[in-house]
């Protein structure tokens, strides 16, 4: 069974330099030769979902320039339907300047270009056409708030499952929680969103903080909240349940963590689109994300369906024998 996934989000080209350490303000660091990769959280998640076996349509925008052409070509090569990506004449395409250190950690500076010009009307009209045959919609937040709100509201109106990846957390996002999207923040975003709701910045033990924040958001959305915790895997909470931890068992050589969260989101929606239980979907997404960090570039290490299935089997065997 193949799930139909719609992704609403940003499309970038990533210009990447690897350095021994990330520069601090005012510092000049000499790094590797420049590398160019496809990027953008929406586009990356769309590629992850397509490689994981979903039928994926991306809603977004690029400029009418060489970077836009490169972005669309690389998405098409990965089987993503880009016929609903707008090509905006007076905008430049989204660019991310990325520095990656030898531990695989990154720093990203974004020039949104066309991503910042996607209108709410465009998103609403396109979704209204596509939603009747969709299984799930993934929305990420590198696009204007009004476009994000239009995506979440329209998806909810059609009764289709919506996953909102609050990366980054932007003002007003908490107002969309009443529409009940499944949330997939990382630890920083989880804390930011929870603080925006409670008005209190918490301190204290890490796991307790994550757990408190999950309950805070869960109360607002009445939907699952899934936190990605990097090398710690994931913790999630479903309404009426208790916090569940999904550890990261695979021992991958970490080259570049850029795009790991996007891989998680793309694989998660692919699994949910075909009706997998949340626990299984999160587990598979954690495994896929841990595979994705083994190569430079957001998409280079993203696994395909077979690699995910093999890794899940290995993981299962390791669990049984431990
Ligand atoms: O999540 C990684 C992505 O964030 C990069 O590909 C970059 O384009 C930024 O959007």
């Amino acid at each position: 069974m193949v799930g139909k996934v719609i992704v609403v989000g940003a499309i970038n080209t990533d210009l990447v330099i690897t350095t021994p350490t990330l520069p601090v303000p005012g510092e000049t660091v000499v790094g590797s030769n420049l590398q160019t990769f496809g990027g953008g959280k929406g586009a990356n998640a769309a590629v992850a979902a397509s490689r994981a076996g979903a039928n994926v349509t991306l809603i977004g925008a690029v400029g009418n320039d060489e970077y836009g052409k490169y972005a669309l070509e690389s998405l098409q090569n990965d089987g993503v339907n880009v016929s609903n990506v707008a090509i905006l004449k007076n905008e430049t395409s989204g660019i991310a300047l990325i520095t990656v250190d030898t531990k695989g950690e990154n720093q990203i500076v974004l020039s949104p270009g066309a991503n910042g010009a996607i209108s709410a009307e465009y998103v609403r009209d396109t979704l209204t056409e596509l939603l009747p045959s969709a299984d799930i919609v993934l929305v990420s937040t590198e696009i204007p708030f009004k476009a994000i709100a239009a995506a979440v509201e329209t998806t909810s109106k059609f009764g289709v499952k919506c996953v909102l990846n609050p990366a980054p957390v932007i003002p007003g996002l908490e107002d969309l929680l009443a529409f009940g999207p499944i949330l997939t923040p990382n630890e920083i975003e989880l804390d930011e969103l929870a603080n925006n709701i409670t008005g209190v910045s918490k301190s204290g033990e890490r796991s307790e903080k994550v757990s408190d924040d999950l309950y805070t958001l869960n109360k607002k959305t009445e939907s699952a909240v899934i936190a990605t915790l990097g090398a710690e895997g994931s913790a999630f909470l479903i309404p009426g349940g208790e916090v569940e931890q999904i550890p990261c068992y695979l021992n991958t050589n970490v080259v570049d963590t850029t795009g790991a969260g996007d891989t998680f989101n793309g694989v998660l929606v692919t699994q949910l689109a075909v009706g997998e239980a949340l626990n299984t979907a999160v587990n598979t997404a954690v495994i896929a994300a841990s595979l994705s960090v083994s190569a430079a570039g957001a998409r280079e290490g993203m696994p395909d369906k077979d690699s995910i299935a093999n890794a899940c089997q290995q993981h299962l065997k390791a669990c049984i024998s431990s």
Side-chain angles (χ1 to χ4, degrees):
M1 199 166 128
V2 175
K4 284 199 173 173
V5 170
I6 299 174
V7 180
V8 183
I11 305 165
N12 292 329
T13 298
D14 292 351
L15 305 180
V16 182
I17 299 180
T18 305
T19 55
T21 53
L22 299 178
V24 295
E27 189 184 13
T28 301
V29 179
V30 177
S32 67
N33 286 343
L34 181 75
Q35 289 182 288
T36 304
F37 298 108
K41 292 193 199 314
N44 292 344
V47 168
S50 178
R51 288 193 195 165
N55 175 323
V56 187
T57 298
L58 178 61
I59 300 177
V62 292
N64 190 13
D65 53 18
E66 286 307 310
Y67 284 123
K69 268 188 213 140
Y70 168 81
L72 293 184
E73 263 170 35
S74 70
L75 285 161
Q76 275 170 317
N77 290 342
D78 256 303
V80 175
N81 179 341
V82 293
S83 56
N84 292 288
V85 172
I87 301 175
L88 304 179
K89 284 206 174 63
N90 298 321
E91 302 288 341
T92 53
S93 295
I95 297 288
L97 301 179
I98 305 185
T99 313
V100 182
D101 72 10
T102 42
K103 290 185 218 130
E105 291 301 330
N106 63 39
Q107 251 176 10
I108 303 180
V109 180
L110 276 185
S111 167
N115 297 307
I118 301 171
S119 71
E121 292 69 35
Y122 181 73
V123 170
R124 196 175 297 118
D125 293 351
T126 312
L127 276 175
T128 300
E129 211 175 285
L130 299 176
L131 275 166
S133 63
D135 294 308
I136 196 160
V137 176
L138 170 65
V139 185
S140 60
T141 55
E142 288 176 331
I143 55 174
F145 174 74
K146 283 186 176 166
I148 299 164
V152 174
E153 282 174 32
T154 312
T155 305
S156 148
K157 195 169 121 193
F158 276 78
V160 172
K161 202 172 267 180
C162 179
V163 174
L164 176 61
N165 176 222
V169 172
I170 57 171
L173 223 48
E174 50 288 352
D175 298 339
L176 301 180
L177 304 191
F179 290 99
I182 294 175
L183 291 173
T184 56
N186 67 17
E187 203 170 341
I188 296 169
E189 294 148 2
L190 174 73
D191 202 38
E192 255 183 280
L193 263 180
N195 292 350
N196 290 352
I197 290 166
T198 59
V200 182
S201 172
K202 269 183 255 88
S203 54
E205 214 248 312
R206 182 183 178 197
S207 63
E208 211 175 288
K209 223 166 114 186
V210 166
S211 168
D212 285 355
D213 290 345
L214 286 172
Y215 277 104
T216 301
L217 296 186
N218 189 227
K219 231 187 245 167
K220 276 272 167 191
T221 57
E222 294 177 14
S223 244
V225 185
I226 307 162
T228 55
L229 305 174
E232 308 300 317
S234 174
F236 71 90
L237 179 64
I238 54 172
E242 294 194 348
V243 174
E244 286 190 50
Q245 308 279 345
I246 303 284
C248 182
Y249 291 100
L250 290 171
N251 197 2
T252 316
N253 177 31
V254 180
V255 175
D256 186 354
T257 56
T258 313
D262 308 332
T263 306
F264 179 93
N265 278 282
V267 174
L268 178 81
V269 292
T270 301
Q271 294 274 306
L272 295 178
V274 292
E276 280 297 352
L278 193 77
N279 183 303
T280 310
V282 174
N283 205 22
T284 308
V286 165
I287 289 172
S290 75
L291 293 174
S292 75
V293 301
S294 61
R299 301 182 195 162
E300 311 306 296
M302 277 178 185
D304 62 13
K305 200 178 173 180
D306 291 343
S307 322
I308 296 172
N310 285 340
C312 286
Q313 266 188 349
Q314 271 181 40
H315 177 205
L316 192 65
K317 273 190 204 154
C319 287
I320 292 168
S321 63
S322 69

